[in-house]
Amino acid sequence: MKPSSNRLFFIDAMRAWAILMMLQGHFIDGLLDPIFRNPENMIYTTWLYFRGITAPVFFTVSGFIFTYLLVKVSKKGLENPRVKKGIRRGLQLLLIGYLLRINLLGLITGKIYDSFYVVDVLHCIGISILTIIGIYLLTKSKRNWLFPTVLLSLSLLLFLFEPVYKDWSFGFLPMSVANYFTKANGSVFTIIPWVGYASIGGFLSILFHRFKDYKYLYNIAISIGLIIGLSLIFFSSDLFLYLFESTNIDLFNLIQLNNYLFIRLGDVFLVFTVFMLLRSIMKNKTVLQIGATTLAIYVIHFVILYGSFTGLGLYRFFNHKLSPNVAIFGALLFMITCTFLALQYGKHEEPIKLKINTLLVGSKTGFELLFKKLTPILLDALLRVRLFLNRLLGRVRN
């Protein structure tokens, strides 16, 4: 892989870090025996806190990368090739998200289980990309500041009003649609509020793109990221409490009682700051490759851990049964295995896609030939059935 001079290596490294943390987080959370989940154990609580950072970072980075590539292109609106690519990518993520939840045995017997409609990370990122594209197209002919302003405003609205909509059941919608908005039916992630992290990632990427040639970009970005991150983590709850006491608006009190969205956003800013500080050592070829194969890693981990298609995953056999030592060793082995398989897939991705396309084209040709051969037979059979029915009806009338 030849690095691009315009590439933000620290973003690729962040994405690689986030996917690896997701792997170990899912493995340990799913397989560690509950008896060892002691909230008074500092090691466990530290792990639990950092595990909570993974998803916000992953969503933010996803929005950052897509929007950065979108605004890099000089062409606007539908003429921007990134728009069509983004639409395809968003729909692809939605499709893969549903495919990973298909149970082949149930499908063969004509059953689609409710778990098929559960919304997860891929669904939300797919919707996030489509949302960013929609905002981009709606604001393309306006002033340059409108696109980032709408992205930032969307994030703030989703985060501020989370206490209001989090308990809504959305029962007036079909379950398959409601699952995008509520966790009541088992969804792991929902587009509200998680699209908010992707849109704020898009907002940050526009700032980076506009000041990309500024000499002191990273010095200022690191300082601002550190200040905002620490402020959100340590002072945002006090701010909302102060606003509640000053205005008596109950929404501010509800926010400070469960202020996880803004605190996690602070964590995201600190992670950005750390990776920007270490950006000079973020050009390792393997790290960049891992960052570029996150989708393959996610799919592979889902199949191995949760048993997509067959239900025969590690989760079925070791669900909440492992001791800490075994879980930690298993998580490391799991991370290595998923990453290795994804990197191997990346090396042979083009030949694999070519073979799949060849197989699909061959299947299509075969079906067309079969259809041509069967058409006269089917028409003749239908004609015979028609004549038989006419005779039968004639006798009944007589």
Side-chain angles (χ1 to χ4, degrees):
M1 177 189 297
K2 185 179 180 180
S4 170
S5 59
N6 295 322
R7 190 165 182 172
L8 299 177
F9 298 104
F10 79 93
I11 290 294
D12 289 307
M14 279 181 65
R15 185 160 61 166
W17 174 81
I19 196 70
L20 292 176
M21 291 304 98
M22 182 209 68
L23 293 179
Q24 63 85 18
H26 285 183
F27 187 94
I28 293 177
D29 181 67
L31 306 186
L32 180 67
D33 194 318
I35 197 173
F36 298 107
R37 301 169 190 261
N38 182 7
E40 297 180 359
N41 185 306
M42 184 175 293
I43 296 176
Y44 175 74
T45 53
T46 302
W47 169 85
L48 190 62
Y49 184 87
F50 277 92
R51 180 176 181 257
I53 298 174
T54 304
V57 170
F58 199 80
F59 274 91
T60 306
V61 169
S62 297
F64 187 107
I65 292 173
F66 175 74
T67 309
Y68 190 83
L69 295 174
L70 181 69
V71 298
K72 269 182 63 176
V73 181
S74 58
K75 294 181 179 180
K76 302 293 183 181
L78 293 174
E79 294 181 0
N80 188 334
R82 284 289 168 183
V83 170
K84 293 181 180 179
K85 288 182 179 179
I87 293 174
R88 285 198 299 268
R89 186 64 163 180
L91 295 176
Q92 179 193 40
L93 291 175
L94 289 171
L95 177 62
I96 294 174
Y98 282 115
L99 288 176
L100 288 175
R101 292 192 169 275
I102 283 179
N103 185 300
L104 291 179
L105 182 61
L107 198 61
I108 291 172
T109 57
K111 295 180 180 178
I112 297 180
Y113 300 105
D114 288 345
S115 59
F116 172 77
Y117 300 105
V118 168
V119 172
D120 212 326
V121 171
L122 294 186
H123 302 81
C124 288
I125 293 180
I127 293 294
S128 297
I129 290 174
L130 296 175
T131 300
I132 291 172
I133 291 173
I135 295 173
Y136 169 77
L137 293 176
L138 289 173
T139 59
K140 65 180 176 61
S141 59
K142 312 298 180 182
R143 297 183 180 273
N144 290 335
W145 53 264
L146 187 57
F147 181 37
T149 301
V150 174
L151 290 175
L152 180 60
S153 300
L154 175 62
S155 299
L156 292 176
L157 286 172
L158 290 176
F159 289 0
L160 287 171
F161 288 95
E162 188 267 350
V164 176
Y165 61 71
K166 71 175 183 179
D167 295 324
W168 293 354
S169 65
F170 294 89
F172 59 92
L173 295 173
M175 185 181 70
S176 58
V177 178
N179 283 351
Y180 281 92
F181 302 96
T182 176
K183 294 182 179 180
N185 302 316
S187 290
V188 183
F189 291 90
T190 52
I191 60 176
I192 52 174
W194 287 96
V195 167
Y197 285 108
S199 61
I200 206 163
F203 168 77
L204 294 175
S205 74
I206 295 172
L207 293 182
F208 261 85
H209 180 260
R210 290 192 180 172
F211 296 99
K212 64 181 184 299
D213 297 323
Y214 185 61
K215 183 178 179 181
Y216 301 105
L217 169 63
Y218 283 102
N219 292 335
I220 295 176
I222 290 170
S223 300
I224 294 175
L226 185 63
I227 293 170
I228 294 177
L230 293 175
S231 299
L232 287 172
I233 293 171
F234 294 107
F235 304 116
S236 61
S237 296
D238 293 334
L239 173 62
F240 287 117
L241 180 59
Y242 171 76
L243 291 173
F244 167 66
E245 293 173 347
S246 301
T247 63
N248 205 32
I249 297 176
D250 193 49
L251 176 63
F252 294 129
N253 185 44
L254 294 174
I255 294 172
Q256 69 90 19
L257 289 174
N258 187 24
N259 185 26
Y260 73 98
L261 288 172
F262 287 97
I263 289 175
R264 289 306 188 193
L265 183 58
D267 292 328
V268 171
F269 274 95
L270 289 186
V271 173
F272 265 82
T273 301
V274 170
F275 276 85
M276 283 189 289
L277 280 168
L278 302 176
R279 67 189 182 281
S280 60
I281 61 173
M282 296 296 178
K283 300 180 182 180
N284 180 273
K285 182 179 178 180
T286 302
V287 172
L288 298 180
Q289 287 176 331
I290 293 173
T293 56
T294 51
L295 178 57
I297 292 174
Y298 185 89
V299 172
I300 291 169
H301 113 280
F302 215 94
V303 173
I304 296 176
L305 186 60
Y306 300 113
S308 293
F309 312 119
T310 63
L312 302 176
L314 296 175
Y315 194 82
R316 176 172 180 175
F317 301 103
F318 303 105
N319 181 21
H320 295 165
K321 293 181 180 179
L322 302 184
S323 65
N325 291 335
V326 176
I328 292 171
F329 176 77
L332 290 172
L333 184 61
F334 181 63
M335 291 164 63
I336 294 171
T337 301
C338 292
T339 304
F340 174 78
L341 292 175
L343 292 176
Q344 291 302 307
Y345 168 77
K347 290 179 181 178
H348 305 92
E349 183 176 6
E350 291 304 321
I352 291 174
K353 287 183 176 179
L354 182 61
K355 288 182 180 179
I356 293 175
N357 288 333
T358 303
L359 180 63
L360 291 175
V361 171
S363 300
K364 180 182 177 181
T365 303
F367 279 119
E368 288 176 350
L369 292 173
L370 182 62
F371 181 76
K372 287 181 179 179
K373 291 182 178 180
L374 290 178
T375 299
I377 299 174
L378 292 173
L379 290 175
D380 182 65
L382 288 173
L383 181 60
R384 292 177 183 273
V385 170
R386 181 181 176 184
L387 291 173
F388 172 77
L389 291 175
N390 287 336
R391 292 172 183 174
L392 181 63
L393 291 173
R395 290 178 181 177
V396 170
R397 291 193 190 98
N398 294 333

